[in-house]
Amino acid sequence: MSSVRALRLLLAAGGLVVIGAGASVLVGKPLPSLVSIAIFLAGGVIAHDALIAPVTVAGGAAARRLLPPAYLAPLVVAVVLVGTLTVASIPVLFGVNESPTNQTLLDRPYLLSWLVVLAVTAVAVVVVGRLRSRRAAASHR
């Protein structure tokens, strides 16, 4: 058996374990909760297929035309990092569970922090892109 096939089987087995663990949590839940979970999961798939994927493909096509090649890899890393952080931060960015009776919830400037991360990431893309560009130019001499 090749190592690639063994790795695939190992990953598949791990995926089945995770699916089983998730399914075991659903056992005994009332039907309205199961319907709510199904709607939530379907919403994620619809949002991905209708919004996230097309925007990502269009952004990638635009980046390939507008940016030098040295900037593409750092940009991809930045988009993955910022995209993941943004999705995880949606509840605090939009004030979900904010409560005037409990001032300890959402008591930090999350939007400002997110904007700082965006700015630092943008600067990192430019710096790494320039370094890669100079390295590529030096290797062509």
Side-chain angles (χ1 to χ4, degrees):
M1 180 185 303
S2 73
S3 60
V4 172
R5 184 179 167 119
L7 179 61
R8 285 180 178 167
L9 288 172
L10 183 64
L11 288 173
L16 290 173
V17 169
V18 171
I19 289 170
S24 71
V25 172
L26 299 176
V27 173
K29 295 274 186 200
L31 184 60
S33 293
L34 294 175
V35 170
S36 177
I37 291 167
I39 291 170
F40 173 78
L41 292 174
V45 171
I46 291 168
H48 177 272
D49 291 353
L51 179 68
I52 297 169
V55 167
T56 303
V57 170
R64 276 188 76 84
R65 290 182 182 197
L66 299 173
L67 293 176
Y71 288 80
L72 293 176
L75 180 64
V76 168
V77 171
V79 168
V80 169
L81 293 174
V82 170
T84 304
L85 175 67
T86 301
V87 168
S89 302
I90 285 173
V92 294
L93 292 174
F94 290 105
V96 175
N97 295 329
E98 192 171 23
S99 171
T101 59
N102 186 348
Q103 296 301 317
T104 62
L105 292 176
L106 306 177
D107 62 344
R108 289 171 181 75
Y110 293 105
L111 180 60
L112 177 63
S113 300
W114 181 74
L115 291 171
V116 168
V117 169
L118 287 181
V120 169
T121 305
V123 168
V125 167
V126 171
V127 168
V128 172
R130 283 193 179 168
L131 290 173
R132 289 169 50 99
S133 184
R134 286 182 185 162
R135 192 175 306 142
S139 68
H140 288 304
R141 288 183 195 164

mmCIF file of all heavy atoms in Angstrom, residues 69-70 131-141:
data_model
loop_
_atom_site.group_PDB
_atom_site.id
_atom_site.type_symbol
_atom_site.label_atom_id
_atom_site.label_comp_id
_atom_site.label_asym_id
_atom_site.label_seq_id
_atom_site.Cartn_x
_atom_site.Cartn_y
_atom_site.Cartn_z
ATOM 1 N N PRO A 69 3.563 38.627 -9.683
ATOM 2 C CA PRO A 69 3.513 37.258 -9.148
ATOM 3 C C PRO A 69 4.064 37.117 -7.725
ATOM 4 O O PRO A 69 3.580 36.286 -6.967
ATOM 5 C CB PRO A 69 4.359 36.455 -10.133
ATOM 6 C CG PRO A 69 4.324 37.236 -11.399
ATOM 7 C CD PRO A 69 4.204 38.678 -10.995
ATOM 8 N N ALA A 70 5.030 37.909 -7.361
ATOM 9 C CA ALA A 70 5.635 37.789 -6.035
ATOM 10 C C ALA A 70 4.647 38.098 -4.912
ATOM 11 O O ALA A 70 4.835 37.671 -3.775
ATOM 12 C CB ALA A 70 6.841 38.728 -5.928
ATOM 13 N N LEU A 131 9.920 41.707 -0.705
ATOM 14 C CA LEU A 131 11.087 40.845 -0.484
ATOM 15 C C LEU A 131 11.154 39.739 -1.537
ATOM 16 O O LEU A 131 12.224 39.462 -2.087
ATOM 17 C CB LEU A 131 11.044 40.237 0.920
ATOM 18 C CG LEU A 131 11.281 41.192 2.080
ATOM 19 C CD1 LEU A 131 11.035 40.491 3.407
ATOM 20 C CD2 LEU A 131 12.690 41.762 2.028
ATOM 21 N N ARG A 132 10.018 39.122 -1.823
ATOM 22 C CA ARG A 132 9.988 38.069 -2.842
ATOM 23 C C ARG A 132 10.300 38.630 -4.224
ATOM 24 O O ARG A 132 10.993 37.992 -5.027
ATOM 25 C CB ARG A 132 8.615 37.382 -2.847
ATOM 26 C CG ARG A 132 8.370 36.508 -1.634
ATOM 27 C CD ARG A 132 6.921 36.069 -1.557
ATOM 28 N NE ARG A 132 6.422 35.515 -2.788
ATOM 29 C CZ ARG A 132 6.317 34.225 -3.074
ATOM 30 N NH1 ARG A 132 6.670 33.340 -2.164
ATOM 31 N NH2 ARG A 132 5.843 33.806 -4.227
ATOM 32 N N SER A 133 9.838 39.840 -4.504
ATOM 33 C CA SER A 133 10.088 40.480 -5.786
ATOM 34 C C SER A 133 11.580 40.779 -5.957
ATOM 35 O O SER A 133 12.148 40.524 -7.016
ATOM 36 C CB SER A 133 9.256 41.750 -5.891
ATOM 37 O OG SER A 133 9.403 42.338 -7.144
ATOM 38 N N ARG A 134 12.183 41.299 -4.902
ATOM 39 C CA ARG A 134 13.625 41.605 -4.975
ATOM 40 C C ARG A 134 14.438 40.322 -5.101
ATOM 41 O O ARG A 134 15.413 40.287 -5.860
ATOM 42 C CB ARG A 134 14.064 42.356 -3.706
ATOM 43 C CG ARG A 134 13.592 43.785 -3.698
ATOM 44 C CD ARG A 134 14.077 44.505 -2.466
ATOM 45 N NE ARG A 134 13.521 45.846 -2.402
ATOM 46 C CZ ARG A 134 13.473 46.591 -1.331
ATOM 47 N NH1 ARG A 134 13.971 46.142 -0.182
ATOM 48 N NH2 ARG A 134 12.960 47.790 -1.371
ATOM 49 N N ARG A 135 14.042 39.276 -4.386
ATOM 50 C CA ARG A 135 14.747 38.005 -4.471
ATOM 51 C C ARG A 135 14.656 37.422 -5.882
ATOM 52 O O ARG A 135 15.624 36.916 -6.426
ATOM 53 C CB ARG A 135 14.181 37.023 -3.452
ATOM 54 C CG ARG A 135 15.033 35.796 -3.271
ATOM 55 C CD ARG A 135 14.543 34.875 -2.166
ATOM 56 N NE ARG A 135 14.400 35.598 -0.911
ATOM 57 C CZ ARG A 135 13.419 35.380 -0.038
ATOM 58 N NH1 ARG A 135 12.496 34.481 -0.297
ATOM 59 N NH2 ARG A 135 13.369 36.059 1.079
ATOM 60 N N ALA A 136 13.467 37.529 -6.484
ATOM 61 C CA ALA A 136 13.285 37.019 -7.849
ATOM 62 C C ALA A 136 14.117 37.828 -8.843
ATOM 63 O O ALA A 136 14.737 37.271 -9.758
ATOM 64 C CB ALA A 136 11.810 37.069 -8.225
ATOM 65 N N ALA A 137 14.153 39.143 -8.653
ATOM 66 C CA ALA A 137 14.957 39.997 -9.548
ATOM 67 C C ALA A 137 16.440 39.694 -9.401
ATOM 68 O O ALA A 137 17.192 39.662 -10.400
ATOM 69 C CB ALA A 137 14.695 41.469 -9.255
ATOM 70 N N ALA A 138 16.901 39.449 -8.184
ATOM 71 C CA ALA A 138 18.309 39.162 -7.954
ATOM 72 C C ALA A 138 18.702 37.811 -8.557
ATOM 73 O O ALA A 138 19.826 37.645 -9.037
ATOM 74 C CB ALA A 138 18.624 39.164 -6.466
ATOM 75 N N SER A 139 17.774 36.850 -8.542
ATOM 76 C CA SER A 139 18.113 35.526 -9.085
ATOM 77 C C SER A 139 18.127 35.518 -10.612
ATOM 78 O O SER A 139 18.696 34.632 -11.217
ATOM 79 C CB SER A 139 17.115 34.474 -8.582
ATOM 80 O OG SER A 139 15.848 34.704 -9.144
ATOM 81 N N HIS A 140 17.515 36.537 -11.235
ATOM 82 C CA HIS A 140 17.504 36.627 -12.705
ATOM 83 C C HIS A 140 18.710 37.373 -13.260
ATOM 84 O O HIS A 140 18.865 37.471 -14.456
ATOM 85 C CB HIS A 140 16.226 37.292 -13.208
ATOM 86 C CG HIS A 140 15.019 36.420 -13.061
ATOM 87 N ND1 HIS A 140 14.926 35.162 -13.605
ATOM 88 C CD2 HIS A 140 13.851 36.632 -12.410
ATOM 89 C CE1 HIS A 140 13.782 34.646 -13.290
ATOM 90 N NE2 HIS A 140 13.093 35.508 -12.576
ATOM 91 N N ARG A 141 19.515 37.918 -12.403
ATOM 92 C CA ARG A 141 20.694 38.679 -12.856
ATOM 93 C C ARG A 141 21.831 37.793 -13.209
ATOM 94 O O ARG A 141 22.083 36.741 -12.982
ATOM 95 C CB ARG A 141 21.137 39.662 -11.770
ATOM 96 C CG ARG A 141 20.183 40.809 -11.636
ATOM 97 C CD ARG A 141 20.682 41.792 -10.629
ATOM 98 N NE ARG A 141 19.563 42.674 -10.279
ATOM 99 C CZ ARG A 141 19.540 43.437 -9.237
ATOM 100 N NH1 ARG A 141 20.542 43.466 -8.401
ATOM 101 N NH2 ARG A 141 18.524 44.205 -8.994
#
